[in-house]
Amino acid sequence: MRTPIVVAVTAALVTAGAVTAVTPAPSSAATVPPSSRATATVTNPTTLPVGNTTTNGRVWKQSYRQDFTTAAPLGSVGTKYPGMGTYSGFGDTSGKGRYAPDKVLSVRGGVLDFAVHSEHGQPLVAAVMPDGYAPHTTGRVTIRYKTTKTDGYKFVGMLWPSSDDWNEGEVDWPESDLGDRPRPASAVPGTETPLGMRFEPGTQMFAPTDTTGWHDATTEWDKGVVRFYWDGKLVASTTKAVPKTAFRVTLQAETTIGSEPVPTNAVGHVDIDWISIWN
């Protein structure tokens, strides 16, 4: 079983079949997110889905939904939303960031905000399991979200093995550096080597728009196929990289992959308007 540090590994680690090595960012003066930041404004909103839904001939039963209607200042999200899980106190995928939910996560104006930033030269990031560590053997996950365009940070919605065994696979959508166009990727179960995992689709595909506006991203993991939707339109699908074991839902705002240091004055935001999960 892999440690929680490796739990955060994503498709972006694999380039030409190799895992990219990284160098931690150097220390410098503290930078904190502005406490006066205005509440994120939801424009062109869609409503949180309530109840079951039918797609591709299957009836999906809603098992979880969250509209973030309860305000939660920094440091109180775990108390206000006790059903959510978080990572805390260890390094992120690249090794440059450190999971610090109490210094990154807050809820206001109906939005869960990941305020990624550095303190004393250390980039602080967060990962959330919306329905805790609930295991899913298939699932449909939709988030409505947007991000700032910020150097040094990325966001990924993931399905990750409940066993923490990377060789069982990994599904990433949406995934991009903050402000870029997301791409879908799913690891082929059983392909882990010292160089990493093999991912599908074999040809990279991207959402038609970037993440600086509000968008709905849906991962649909059905029997024998994984589909990726952006604002209700299919971006890609795969029948070659479909999980066969139980997975959990994870939302990660963290530092970008690569050796470049994170700008210590960078302050980025990932805002989640709502999330819905069906089985």
Side-chain angles (χ1 to χ4, degrees):
M1 181 181 295
R2 292 175 177 269
T3 65
I5 294 177
V6 183
V7 164
V9 173
T10 71
L13 279 170
V14 181
T15 303
V19 177
T20 303
V22 297
T23 303
S27 298
S28 66
T31 302
V32 298
S35 59
S36 60
R37 178 181 183 254
T39 300
T41 301
V42 180
T43 58
N44 189 27
T46 59
T47 304
L48 169 69
V50 176
N52 300 339
T53 187
T54 301
T55 64
N56 297 299
R58 174 170 176 174
V59 177
W60 298 91
K61 297 182 179 180
Q62 192 173 49
S63 61
Y64 176 88
R65 64 177 183 264
Q66 182 56 255
D67 211 8
F68 301 108
T69 56
T70 300
L74 280 173
S76 69
V77 170
T79 301
K80 299 289 186 178
Y81 294 86
M84 295 200 309
T86 58
Y87 297 157
S88 183
F90 55 88
D92 66 1
T93 302
S94 75
K96 294 178 286 190
R98 190 167 186 83
Y99 290 117
D102 286 348
K103 295 185 176 183
V104 172
L105 298 175
S106 64
V107 177
R108 52 180 172 173
V111 169
L112 171 65
D113 179 49
F114 295 69
V116 290
H117 64 285
S118 291
E119 293 185 10
H120 306 292
Q122 173 62 65
L124 302 180
V125 297
V128 168
M129 282 69 71
D131 57 347
Y133 286 78
H136 302 271
T137 52
T138 58
R140 192 173 197 271
V141 182
T142 301
I143 62 169
R144 183 159 183 82
Y145 84 116
K146 74 172 183 176
T147 80
T148 54
K149 186 169 182 61
T150 308
D151 291 338
Y153 294 95
K154 65 189 289 289
F155 174 77
V156 58
M158 299 178 63
L159 294 172
W160 181 261
S162 296
S163 67
D164 290 335
D165 181 358
W166 192 28
N167 197 39
E168 293 179 8
E170 167 190 0
V171 181
D172 301 327
W173 178 251
E175 180 177 26
S176 70
D177 293 353
L178 295 194
D180 288 352
R181 293 163 58 202
R183 67 168 187 173
S186 185
V188 179
T191 62
E192 183 182 7
T193 73
L195 296 178
M197 294 278 280
R198 180 162 63 87
F199 283 81
E200 293 288 340
T203 301
Q204 290 191 10
M205 308 177 77
F206 294 86
T209 50
D210 65 31
T211 63
T212 57
W214 290 104
H215 294 283
D216 297 353
T218 300
T219 302
E220 189 173 273
W221 164 29
D222 207 343
K223 294 178 175 64
V225 62
V226 179
R227 304 180 183 95
F228 307 95
Y229 295 90
W230 187 251
D231 293 329
K233 295 183 179 180
L234 186 68
V235 174
S237 64
T238 178
T239 58
K240 298 178 181 179
V242 183
K244 300 176 182 178
T245 56
F247 277 48
R248 65 176 179 262
V249 178
T250 307
L251 307 177
Q252 290 181 185
E254 55 181 17
T255 56
T256 53
I257 305 302
S259 60
E260 299 82 2
V262 177
T264 55
N265 62 345
V267 178
H269 293 271
V270 178
D271 291 322
I272 310 293
D273 183 16
W274 51 257
I275 179 169
S276 179
I277 302 173
W278 297 266
N279 292 309

